[in-house]
Amino acid sequence: MWRIVKWVLWGAPGSLGGVIALDSQDVLDLTHYPIFRAIRTGITTASIILDYKWSLYKLEVDSKEYETAKSQTHSRSAKKMLTLCWRNRGTYIKVGQHLGGMDYLLPPEYTKVLKVLHSQAPQSTMQEIEQVVKEDLKVKSLDEIFTDFEETPLGTASLAQVHRAKLRRDGSRVAVKVQHPSVRDLAHKDMNMMDRALRCVKQVFPDFNLMWLGEETRRNLPIELDFTMEVKNCEEASANLKCFSWVKLPKVYHKYSTDRVLVMEYFEGGQVNDKSYFKEHSINFNRVSRLLGKLFSEMIFVHGFVHCDPHPGNILVRWRPKKQTSLLQKVWSFFSKDFGEDLELVLLDHGLYRRLTKEFRYNYAGLWQAIINTDVKDMEKYARAIGGGDLYPILVTIVTGRAWKVVGQDGIKKVKFSKQEDDAIRSGVGGFLPDISQVLSNVPSDMLLVLKTNDHLRGLEYAYGVRGHASGFLDMSRCCLRALRDLKLEMAPSSQRNIIFRIQCHLRLLVDLAKISLYELFLWIREFSVAKSKSEQKSLKETFQDATVCESNNSFSGEVFV
């Protein structure tokens, strides 16, 4: 009996420590065991907390040594978080992706490292994928449905991975999305572990409160794990966006789709962050950025049904297939919402959507309209209504990603986003961390998911250097005005909704849209004049250089002949 007690007291902990050591060196893969996932989480959390406490101990705040040590600790901690997300997979990857887009809250050392998760994630084996497909589609072999099922996935995400295949029935090229086998069983336990970790961080660092992130992830995860919800979202979004012929959403094959398997139409194209693809196919990201702005403004302001996970892997870009069109069709497409567009955006992964309330859409549209018009009074009014309270300038800065001085004084339409402004915002985040955390805790969940969408789109604009272009704000303003008109009509008391009120709302919208079009024409003429002037200056410079070269050559020739 005593031997057993001695083994429990000494041998078991030693054995557990050995197993943990082997796991940390990837000799053993214990990912599917909740206890070891919890141990990894606990070790990583404790390691990060101790690193900050030790590295910054006795250093004077705001000193050069303190800032250097803090930056180095940020980098080490970000790598530890990335390793934890990568090894635990599933829900951890999902949270890591969200953190990677939070430039307004996290230091750049974190976001730069965690952004890797937007395009890379651990894969399930082909045997695991095949088992899920056979179980859900009630077949003994993949060959019963597919003639060609590629083993190498097209892409791997936090909750699933996608394989290209051909349907046996008609040879159609399809994309098969298959959920990672254990992610659903582990999701609830993972969220409990992360809640404890976030609570621990909050106790040690009270200014750093991310409890809202855990709550939001817990609320959305069951929806994302049910692929039948993705089918419904995709079909509703397709109906909403049919006004844009340049937006493509995949058709779903219902017969072969379940809550863990989704068979969809396959699209060729390059990811929206693939610079080499853009260069190879002569695609200008300014145009892509403007289309993205139109697409998500339509979703947020007009329909209130929003794709909340538009990271680069979920958006493809390609040229439209060539087809014959009549002159009348070309004229119509130019004056319609297509504007003669020959690029196409393919929107993928419709697992997470948010249906925004009318009240939120009205206040959010009003806020953006006030921001675009540099109306500080209305900014305060609508930001307070959304939950900004006395910290409304912080909320406005988070929403726009621009400095309050630019938004509240100069105007975002007039001042282009610069590296100096970006550096000023990033350097000031630390001082406002408690205020930012408080704002994010107070705003409604609609706002949190819209901010997540903004983060992804802003990251793309920043990567391609097109942030703050006036044309994007004008497109957004059009959608804001349409949304405000529609919502005013819907929300007005029935006694006010007479024919005169309706005519006034429609006329006001037409006048405001006309003003935007005139301003857009003015910007186009100005840019054209500037471009023409630069072209003429370049031509004169080249002519002068040619003349100088000729004189130099003539002089040289003369000397030789003499």
Side-chain angles (χ1 to χ4, degrees):
M1 179 66 182
W2 175 241
R3 287 182 180 177
I4 295 173
V5 172
K6 283 173 65 178
W7 182 86
V8 171
L9 291 175
W10 298 103
S15 300
L16 180 61
V19 170
I20 293 171
L22 291 173
D23 175 63
S24 66
Q25 297 300 316
D26 289 329
V27 177
L28 294 176
D29 184 6
L30 303 170
T31 300
H32 300 303
Y33 297 92
I35 181 64
F36 289 104
R37 295 167 72 84
I39 290 171
R40 288 173 184 168
T41 305
I43 290 173
T44 302
T45 304
S47 172
I48 290 174
I49 291 172
L50 291 172
D51 195 358
Y52 275 103
K53 289 294 184 182
W54 177 261
S55 300
L56 304 179
Y57 182 62
K58 287 187 177 180
L59 291 179
E60 187 179 343
V61 178
D62 294 334
S63 67
K64 186 176 180 181
E65 293 79 8
Y66 180 90
E67 292 300 323
T68 301
K70 186 171 71 171
S71 177
Q72 291 171 349
T73 310
H74 285 337
S75 296
R76 290 193 299 270
S77 300
K79 290 172 184 174
K80 291 173 187 175
M81 285 184 65
L82 177 63
T83 301
L84 175 65
C85 292
W86 190 268
R87 301 191 69 214
N88 275 6
R89 308 180 184 181
T91 310
Y92 284 78
I93 296 286
K94 175 65 64 177
V95 172
Q97 289 174 338
H98 197 161
L99 291 172
M102 296 171 65
D103 297 275
Y104 54 84
L105 179 61
L106 296 179
E109 292 89 345
Y110 276 92
T111 55
K112 183 178 180 182
V113 169
L114 294 174
K115 272 183 170 62
V116 171
L117 297 173
H118 290 160
S119 55
Q120 298 178 32
Q123 297 178 8
S124 293
T125 65
M126 186 58 199
Q127 290 77 13
E128 291 172 324
I129 293 299
E130 190 171 353
Q131 186 63 33
V132 172
V133 174
K134 288 194 293 187
E135 286 176 4
D136 277 42
L137 299 185
K138 305 292 188 295
V139 294
K140 294 181 179 179
S141 169
L142 297 184
D143 294 337
E144 293 182 34
I145 299 174
F146 307 104
T147 57
D148 178 23
F149 194 101
E150 296 182 8
E151 292 194 11
T152 303
L154 292 168
T156 305
S158 55
L159 307 179
Q161 63 191 53
V162 180
H163 293 258
R164 183 164 50 191
K166 277 186 181 178
L167 283 179
R168 176 170 291 281
R169 71 177 190 184
D170 59 6
S172 298
R173 276 281 183 193
V174 293
V176 185
K177 181 176 179 179
V178 185
Q179 194 172 110
H180 296 306
S182 59
V183 67
R184 182 175 294 185
D185 296 332
L186 294 168
H188 181 68
K189 297 182 180 70
D190 283 350
M191 287 311 308
N192 289 338
M193 286 180 240
M194 277 188 273
D195 281 345
R196 292 190 188 100
L198 291 172
R199 225 175 264 116
C200 185
V201 171
K202 183 184 176 183
Q203 286 178 348
V204 180
F205 304 108
D207 292 344
F208 197 72
N209 180 11
L210 282 177
M211 293 305 298
W212 58 269
L213 175 59
E215 293 165 5
E216 194 62 29
T217 305
R218 186 185 291 276
R219 187 182 298 115
N220 296 324
L221 201 55
I223 300 170
E224 293 189 79
L225 288 170
D226 183 358
F227 288 178
T228 61
M229 290 299 300
E230 181 167 351
V231 174
K232 294 175 182 176
N233 291 340
C234 186
E235 290 176 345
E236 183 171 347
S238 295
N240 290 345
L241 299 171
K242 62 185 179 182
C243 55
F244 295 138
S245 65
W246 44 265
V247 177
K248 297 296 178 185
L249 282 74
K251 179 183 73 175
V252 177
Y253 292 82
H254 293 267
K255 183 179 178 181
Y256 307 116
S257 298
T258 68
D259 59 349
R260 292 196 302 168
V261 178
L262 196 57
V263 179
M264 305 164 286
E265 180 182 5
Y266 171 73
F267 282 103
E268 297 279 359
Q271 286 191 8
V272 75
N273 64 341
D274 189 344
K275 292 185 178 182
S276 60
Y277 181 88
F278 276 45
K279 186 175 181 180
E280 182 184 346
H281 292 82
S282 304
I283 295 174
N284 183 343
F285 188 78
N286 277 302
R287 294 176 65 187
V288 175
S289 176
R290 186 164 185 182
L291 292 179
L292 285 170
K294 288 180 184 179
L295 169 59
F296 282 92
S297 293
E298 186 82 11
M299 281 186 162
I300 293 170
F301 299 113
V302 178
H303 298 287
F305 190 63
V306 190
H307 189 303
C308 293
D309 198 18
H311 67 72
N314 288 339
I315 305 173
L316 303 180
V317 183
R318 64 180 194 170
W319 290 110
R320 283 192 189 190
K322 297 286 185 181
K323 61 179 182 180
Q324 294 293 326
T325 55
S326 66
L327 179 61
L328 184 61
Q329 287 174 320
K330 290 179 180 178
V331 172
W332 169 252
S333 69
F334 182 81
F335 286 103
S336 70
K337 291 181 182 180
D338 288 345
F339 292 97
E341 189 52 64
D342 48 5
L343 281 174
E344 280 185 342
L345 299 183
V346 181
L347 195 58
L348 306 172
D349 192 355
H350 302 273
L352 183 58
Y353 271 69
R354 174 55 62 94
R355 195 178 304 281
L356 307 177
T357 65
K358 290 180 181 179
E359 182 183 5
F360 174 79
R361 282 168 57 206
Y362 182 81
N363 289 323
Y364 190 61
L367 175 62
W368 262 112
Q369 198 59 24
I371 290 167
I372 291 168
N373 294 330
T374 324
D375 186 337
V376 177
K377 186 177 178 182
D378 271 0
M379 283 187 221
E380 179 180 358
K381 170 187 170 184
Y382 290 112
R384 283 182 179 277
I386 291 173
D390 292 337
L391 297 173
Y392 69 90
I394 298 286
L395 179 57
V396 171
T397 300
I398 292 172
V399 166
T400 59
R402 304 293 299 269
W404 172 249
K405 181 183 177 183
V406 172
V407 179
Q409 296 179 22
D410 306 318
I412 57 174
K413 283 193 301 185
K414 299 176 183 177
V415 181
K416 286 189 176 181
F417 185 76
S418 65
K419 187 179 184 303
Q420 290 78 7
E421 185 183 348
D422 184 48
D423 292 341
I425 294 171
R426 289 179 182 276
S427 62
V429 164
F432 290 100
L433 193 56
D435 296 333
I436 295 171
S437 296
Q438 184 180 336
V439 168
L440 294 176
S441 298
N442 291 341
V443 297
S445 57
D446 284 1
M447 183 79 255
L448 294 176
L449 281 178
V450 168
L451 286 176
K452 182 182 177 184
T453 300
N454 286 353
D455 294 340
H456 287 310
L457 298 177
R458 196 175 294 144
L460 289 170
E461 291 178 345
Y462 183 79
Y464 283 93
V466 297
R467 279 194 60 186
H469 197 277
S471 60
F473 294 126
L474 295 178
D475 291 330
M476 184 186 290
S477 187
R478 288 187 176 95
C479 284
C480 287
L481 290 169
R482 287 168 54 207
L484 288 169
R485 186 272 313 269
D486 294 342
L487 290 167
K488 278 179 183 176
L489 288 171
E490 289 180 32
M491 296 167 67
S494 56
S495 58
Q496 289 184 15
R497 276 182 279 172
N498 52 43
I499 187 67
I500 296 175
F501 177 72
R502 291 176 180 277
I503 291 173
Q504 286 176 339
C505 288
H506 289 307
L507 287 176
R508 191 176 298 117
L509 174 65
L510 291 174
V511 170
D512 288 339
L513 291 177
K515 288 179 182 177
I516 291 174
S517 296
L518 288 172
Y519 182 65
E520 191 170 30
L521 179 62
F522 162 73
L523 289 178
W524 182 83
I525 293 172
R526 189 176 67 179
E527 288 183 7
F528 178 77
S529 300
V530 170
K532 186 178 180 182
S533 176
K534 285 182 179 178
S535 177
E536 289 174 351
Q537 288 176 10
K538 184 179 178 182
S539 178
L540 285 171
K541 186 177 180 181
E542 289 173 351
T543 303
F544 175 75
Q545 288 174 341
D546 291 343
T548 305
V549 169
C550 287
E551 288 178 12
S552 172
N553 289 340
N554 290 338
S555 172
F556 179 76
S557 301
E559 288 175 6
V560 170
F561 283 112
V562 168

